[in-house]
Amino acid sequence: MKNKREKKNISKYIYFIRSFWLLFFSGLFFLVIIFSSAALGYLGDMPDLQQLENPKTNLATQIISSDGIVLGKYYYNDNRTPLDFDQLPPSMVDALIATEDERYYNHSGIDWIGTLRAIFYFGKRGGASTISQQLARQLFVGVRSRNIVKAIIQKVKEWVLAVQLERRYTKKEIIEMYLNIYDFGYNADGVQSASKIFFNKKPKDLKIEESAILIGMLQNSSLYNPVRRPELVIKRRNIVFRQMLRNKLINERVYDSLKMIPLKIDFSPESHREGLATYFRAYLQEFMRSWIKNNPKLDGSNYNIYRDGLRIYTTIDSRMQDLAEKAVSKHMKNLQKEFFIQQKIPENENPTAPFLNLTEGEIDTLLLRSAYRSERWRKMKKTGIDDSLILKSFSKEVPMKVFSWDGEIDTIMKPIDSIRYYKHFLRSSLMSIEPMSGHVKAWVGGYNYKHFQYDQVKQGRRQIGSTFKPFLYATAIDQLKLSPCDSLPDALYCIETNRFENTEAWCPKNSGDRYGRIRTLKNALANSVNTISARLMDQVGPRPVIDLVQKMGVTSYLPAVPSIALGTPDISLFEMVGAYSVFANRGIYVKPVMITRIEDKNGLALFEVIPETKDVLSEEIAYVTLKLMQGVTKHGSGARLRHAGLEKTNYVYDKVITDYPYIFENPIAGKTGTTQNQSDGWFMGMVPNLVTGVWVGGEDRSIHFEKIAFGQGATMALPIWAIYMKSLYENTELGVSSEDFLEPEIMSIPVECDEYDQNSSKIKAKPKADLKALGF
């Protein structure tokens, strides 16, 4: 009986063993079949070997400043910048492995212990996806399907791909790729962008608690969003710390202190409308579109600035750009206050504000023209909406955010009223250039790109006023062999119509109608005397002046009429700064340079700049003109650079001006400019290694200060230059010169007058040239 029972038990044992091995080998065979089917593509498309070795990810194009700072990026859907493993903080790598894949260095793509645990506990004690599998899903598989069958097939694909990735890449490379491609939200694609957007830092500078936040987000960046769900993010971060403790990467004491740290983020979202040099980046984007058309890849296809990870190295210095933008904002905020006061905006006492000398009918026409040019009109027109319906929409109130100097305002407003509202704000621009190299160091096309997208550096062309006069003086000194010390009568002077075609007698008046003195050229330019300019123009004629200005890089239309002596042409700030750099560069024009080189994602140079230069003036004439303009900042319209500001008056704004401690003691050559009705204020200022121009004015010429005390270039534009230059000198690393301009070795023209006294009715300087023989 016992033998029968033993035999029966033995049979059952043998049956169990056979069944076990049958199931085991059947399962193994099934897995081999499944894996083979997946690898061969029978379960759906799989990437080929070339894709595995070169996985395609969209890389944002980076705009890099001359001092190595990323100014911004061009990206469509993916704001991704590749990062090497060595640039990752060790705390981030430790947190990643401890949280996502404890046995990362002990498996070849599949963690069978984790897989069996996940199957046995139905995933309640953690998932089974390794870092390699997560990378495979991100690169090739996609979002997990809710269909159970499809989800299993996707999992099998991840297993196959994970093993293949492990064969082709090192463990460090897999971590590097994974952290480079993960989408953290808010256009933060990859840990490089995420570090900048959430903490305003480079990855290597992240603290352990910051690294833990980013690693915690890997589970679900939407759920663990530090901006919207801070309490949930803290809990998730502390789970990361607990996993690090479990894996002995930190001790109990460190763990206890870390989990008590409050959540701190420095949220800095990146967009094309925010950050440094927004107007420059917009210009650069247009440049790149043109460059791409003319510079195809080797295979004939075009580069894509949103996906190909190009690196554009620019001449912009991020430090100078930041200081320039701050200078513009600081002055314009104060200037706008006075403009509002004079326009009586708060009390609505001026029904035509901000316009002066326009009827309400003329204002309606002007606003309508602006509506036709608006983005709203363009978008609606593109959809095929009839013009009459588009026009009606401008009279219907809609929710909108509008600009104010105290921050955006949420309001409900008619679009046509918003157009008028924005016209109340004065506009401004600034550009700096190194005259020797032509490198543009700062480009401020406005003070808020989101709300004012018109670039006043290159797009905007406005009358330049007396900033044109140095070109006339340089021509006269060159052709007539005059000296800054030569004197001319300051009396009303007319140029007859028979001297120039298509013009009537031209008799310019001085500001304030003051005449009757003898002035040196140095004194006349310093005080922007129009009658002296008329005399010089009558002797040299418009054409030689135009020829000179065009050689200096100005491409805007210049009419061959005498009135150009007073700056009637419309010229961009970009052209003016480039032209003035000729004086500081010993008479040599260097075409402005904004890009030094362009590289592909592998560092291969695709473009390198070749400077374009041209001899325009002799070194002596350039230097003499500089000496003339130094008189402007010593004794003329730019003299406030030498003291703390304006004298006190009844106007509020003057009190703000007196708070600007200019008091420059170093040599400065410059020229102010003011146009008719105070519509435009200019200041061009130069030191030996930096030329900077500033413009301020309304969107339309009918928007301006009523009185010249505030509408002149010395009040509107010069303070921006002063604030900017003062901040540059405070940072000695920038190397902005405080020395004098270098005098040529051979000088035939005297530049130091016997006496310079602008308050005297008679200048003692003796003319070197025979003025009567020249027709004066």
Side-chain angles (χ1 to χ4, degrees):
M1 191 75 177
K2 186 176 180 180
N3 290 335
K4 287 183 179 181
R5 193 173 296 169
E6 287 177 355
K7 288 181 180 179
K8 188 175 182 179
N9 288 336
I10 291 171
S11 298
K12 286 181 179 181
Y13 175 74
I14 294 172
Y15 175 77
F16 173 77
I17 293 297
R18 288 177 177 173
S19 298
F20 171 79
W21 286 111
L22 179 64
L23 287 172
F24 175 79
F25 284 111
S26 296
L28 188 62
F29 179 73
F30 177 75
L31 287 176
V32 171
I33 293 296
I34 290 293
F35 270 72
S36 300
S37 299
L40 295 171
Y42 294 132
L43 299 182
D45 293 336
M46 293 284 281
D48 57 27
L49 293 178
Q50 188 175 2
Q51 281 182 282
L52 285 172
E53 292 171 2
N54 297 285
K56 291 184 178 180
T57 55
N58 294 335
L59 300 178
T61 289
Q62 297 181 78
I63 307 157
I64 303 170
S65 68
S66 61
D67 55 322
I69 301 299
V70 177
L71 294 172
K73 302 174 187 177
Y74 298 130
Y75 55 87
Y76 184 63
N77 288 322
D78 298 335
N79 177 18
R80 183 176 292 111
T81 304
L83 195 69
D84 293 336
F85 182 87
D86 294 337
Q87 295 174 284
L88 295 170
S91 62
M92 179 175 287
V93 177
D94 289 343
L96 172 65
I97 294 173
T99 308
E100 297 294 326
D101 194 350
E102 291 177 319
R103 288 170 289 277
Y104 178 66
Y105 289 111
N106 300 320
H107 64 67
S108 299
I110 302 174
D111 180 7
W112 291 109
I113 296 175
T115 301
L116 293 173
R117 181 195 62 207
I119 293 172
F120 188 78
Y121 290 104
F122 300 101
K124 292 181 180 180
R125 296 193 180 182
S129 290
T130 63
I131 292 173
S132 305
Q133 288 174 240
Q134 293 179 48
L135 175 61
R137 185 192 310 157
Q138 293 281 334
L139 286 173
F140 306 112
V141 179
V143 180
R144 184 66 51 79
S145 174
R146 294 185 179 182
N147 182 289
I148 186 71
V149 176
K150 290 182 178 179
I152 291 173
I153 292 174
Q154 286 179 319
K155 191 67 180 178
V156 172
K157 286 184 178 181
E158 289 173 19
W159 284 343
V160 174
L161 292 171
V163 172
Q164 292 180 341
L165 287 171
E166 290 268 356
R167 289 177 180 174
R168 287 168 174 78
Y169 297 99
T170 66
K171 292 287 186 179
K172 288 184 178 181
E173 288 174 330
I174 288 173
I175 288 177
E176 175 187 310
M177 282 193 289
Y178 179 50
L179 291 178
N180 273 330
I181 70 167
Y182 189 81
D183 181 2
F184 290 87
Y186 296 105
N187 289 321
D189 296 297
V191 72
Q192 174 98 311
S193 296
S195 301
K196 175 68 172 62
I197 289 173
F198 291 112
F199 303 107
N200 202 18
K201 292 181 178 181
K202 294 180 179 178
K204 65 179 181 180
D205 298 325
L206 292 176
K207 297 178 180 178
I208 185 172
E209 62 268 24
E210 294 165 339
S211 293
I213 289 172
L214 294 182
I215 296 303
M217 292 176 69
L218 294 174
Q219 187 175 89
N220 187 327
S221 60
S222 179
L223 178 63
Y224 299 108
N225 183 324
V227 178
R228 298 174 57 191
R229 299 184 177 91
E231 293 182 0
L232 198 60
V233 170
I234 290 177
K235 290 180 181 179
R236 178 62 187 166
R237 180 202 66 182
N238 291 346
I239 290 174
V240 175
F241 289 149
R242 191 162 65 243
Q243 286 297 108
M244 295 180 74
L245 174 64
R246 175 183 166 180
N247 286 272
K248 300 180 180 179
L249 297 170
I250 57 176
N251 57 38
E252 283 279 0
R253 182 179 59 80
V254 173
Y255 169 71
D256 289 337
S257 61
L258 286 175
K259 69 180 183 179
M260 299 305 294
I261 296 176
L263 179 67
K264 293 180 181 179
I265 64 169
D266 184 2
F267 188 53
S268 307
E270 293 185 348
S271 77
H272 302 309
R273 298 186 176 188
E274 296 169 326
L276 271 181
T278 47
Y279 292 88
F280 173 74
R281 283 152 47 195
Y283 157 76
L284 195 59
Q285 190 171 21
E286 292 302 314
F287 171 86
M288 287 301 298
R289 285 172 180 164
S290 175
W291 181 86
I292 283 170
K293 289 180 181 178
N294 298 310
N295 295 272
K297 298 179 183 178
L298 293 176
D299 61 6
S301 63
N302 289 331
Y303 287 100
N304 188 308
I305 62 172
Y306 304 115
R307 299 199 217 15
D308 286 342
L310 302 178
R311 290 193 283 268
I312 308 171
Y313 292 88
T314 72
T315 60
I316 298 293
D317 187 298
S318 69
R319 299 161 297 180
M320 297 174 73
Q321 179 70 29
D322 180 54
L323 294 173
E325 292 183 10
K326 287 177 178 176
V328 169
S329 294
K330 179 178 180 179
H331 177 68
M332 292 306 297
K333 184 176 183 178
N334 291 327
L335 188 66
Q336 191 68 52
K337 289 178 182 177
E338 179 59 32
F339 187 71
F340 282 156
I341 290 171
Q342 294 193 23
Q343 295 288 320
K344 301 186 185 300
I345 302 303
E347 299 84 3
N348 293 319
E349 295 179 15
N350 182 1
T352 64
F355 309 100
L356 294 175
N357 308 317
L358 290 184
T359 65
E360 292 193 26
E362 290 172 328
I363 293 171
D364 290 340
T365 301
L366 189 151
L367 294 177
L368 186 60
R369 285 204 302 265
S370 296
Y372 289 145
R373 298 194 302 266
S374 69
E375 184 72 6
R376 179 185 181 86
W377 188 286
R378 186 189 68 81
K379 287 183 177 179
M380 294 181 74
K381 186 71 175 177
K382 194 174 181 179
T383 62
I385 300 176
D386 185 73
D387 287 2
S388 60
L389 295 177
I390 297 176
L391 190 58
K392 284 182 180 179
S393 73
F394 276 81
S395 299
K396 294 180 180 179
E397 291 186 340
V398 294
M400 64 176 69
K401 289 185 177 182
V402 296
F403 170 83
S404 84
W405 278 108
D406 296 320
E408 283 189 333
I409 300 173
D410 286 307
T411 186
I412 296 175
M413 187 182 292
K414 296 177 183 177
I416 196 69
D417 290 339
S418 72
I419 291 175
R420 184 167 187 156
Y421 171 79
Y422 277 114
K423 287 185 183 293
H424 285 102
F425 290 93
L426 297 172
R427 313 299 170 86
S428 182
S429 57
L430 177 152
M431 177 178 157
S432 274
I433 192 172
E434 284 183 349
M436 286 71 73
S437 64
H439 287 188
V440 176
K441 308 308 292 182
W443 177 309
V444 186
Y447 44 76
N448 189 296
Y449 185 77
K450 183 177 180 180
H451 292 281
F452 306 96
Q453 293 185 20
Y454 190 75
D455 178 19
Q456 297 289 355
V457 167
K458 206 164 193 302
Q459 287 179 302
R461 284 178 165 80
R462 297 295 287 259
Q463 284 190 347
I464 57 173
S466 294
T467 54
F468 190 86
K469 289 177 181 176
F471 306 134
L472 168 63
Y473 277 66
T475 305
I477 291 169
D478 187 27
Q479 292 196 357
L480 305 178
K481 308 304 177 187
L482 297 177
S483 142
C485 303
D486 288 330
S487 56
L488 297 172
D490 177 8
L492 196 64
Y493 191 89
C494 295
I495 298 178
E496 299 298 329
T497 55
N498 59 1
R499 296 290 305 278
F500 301 97
E501 296 181 1
N502 300 323
T503 63
E504 298 179 357
W506 181 61
C507 309
K509 296 180 180 180
N510 290 336
S511 177
D513 287 337
R514 296 178 182 178
Y515 311 96
R517 296 177 52 185
I518 300 296
R519 296 180 183 268
T520 63
L521 293 188
K522 194 171 186 179
N523 179 280
L525 184 63
N527 293 280
S528 230
V529 181
N530 292 337
T531 56
I532 303 296
S533 296
R535 290 176 183 273
L536 295 175
M537 177 58 75
D538 195 23
Q539 292 304 306
V540 300
R543 180 46 60 186
V545 182
I546 292 172
D547 290 343
L548 172 64
V549 175
Q550 289 177 337
K551 289 177 183 177
M552 298 169 98
V554 174
T555 59
S556 296
Y557 173 66
L558 301 172
V561 294
S563 61
I564 64 170
L566 306 188
T568 55
D570 291 348
I571 301 178
S572 70
L573 179 64
F574 180 86
E575 294 170 294
M576 287 296 291
V577 174
Y580 263 69
S581 68
V582 172
F583 298 125
N585 195 34
R586 304 184 183 186
I588 300 172
Y589 171 73
V590 181
K591 187 175 180 180
V593 176
M594 285 74 76
I595 301 172
T596 54
R597 71 184 186 278
I598 301 171
E599 294 179 354
D600 66 11
K601 63 182 179 182
N602 299 314
L604 178 66
L606 305 174
F607 167 82
E608 292 188 86
V609 70
I610 300 175
E612 297 180 34
T613 64
K614 184 194 307 179
D615 288 333
V616 175
L617 288 171
S618 70
E619 186 177 352
E620 183 181 25
I621 299 300
Y623 180 75
V624 171
T625 309
L626 282 174
K627 297 300 287 185
L628 280 169
M629 286 190 280
Q630 281 184 277
V632 175
T633 66
K634 286 182 179 179
H635 313 284
S637 56
R640 65 183 62 184
L641 290 171
R642 305 298 179 181
H643 55 78
L646 298 172
E647 296 179 358
K648 290 184 178 180
T649 69
N650 293 327
Y651 290 100
V652 172
Y653 182 62
D654 286 314
K655 296 178 183 178
V656 179
I657 284 289
T658 58
D659 291 337
Y660 292 162
Y662 304 149
I663 319 179
F664 289 94
E665 296 179 356
N666 58 294
I668 298 169
K671 187 70 189 79
T672 58
T674 308
T675 63
Q676 190 174 12
N677 295 326
Q678 300 82 242
S679 294
D680 305 275
W682 293 78
F683 184 72
M684 308 295 298
M686 295 178 284
V687 295
N689 66 350
L690 194 68
V691 177
T692 303
V694 180
W695 168 86
V696 175
E699 181 180 359
D700 303 293
R701 289 188 172 92
S702 54
I703 302 168
H704 55 81
F705 281 103
E706 188 171 3
K707 299 183 182 299
I708 197 168
F710 297 95
Q712 63 180 308
T715 306
M716 290 209 293
L718 179 144
I720 293 175
W721 189 93
I723 298 167
Y724 170 59
M725 289 299 294
K726 185 174 183 296
S727 62
L728 293 185
Y729 282 125
E730 288 173 353
N731 187 343
T732 56
E733 292 182 359
L734 296 174
V736 178
S737 173
S738 58
E739 307 301 321
D740 202 349
F741 295 93
L742 189 63
E743 182 177 345
E745 293 182 3
I746 300 176
M747 286 287 295
S748 62
I749 301 174
V751 293
E752 300 298 336
C753 303
D754 296 332
E755 181 179 337
Y756 188 92
D757 182 4
Q758 65 176 0
N759 295 317
S760 174
S761 61
K762 184 177 180 181
I763 302 298
K764 294 182 179 180
K766 297 179 181 180
K768 177 188 174 189
D770 185 352
L771 299 181
K772 289 184 179 180
L774 295 172
F776 291 109

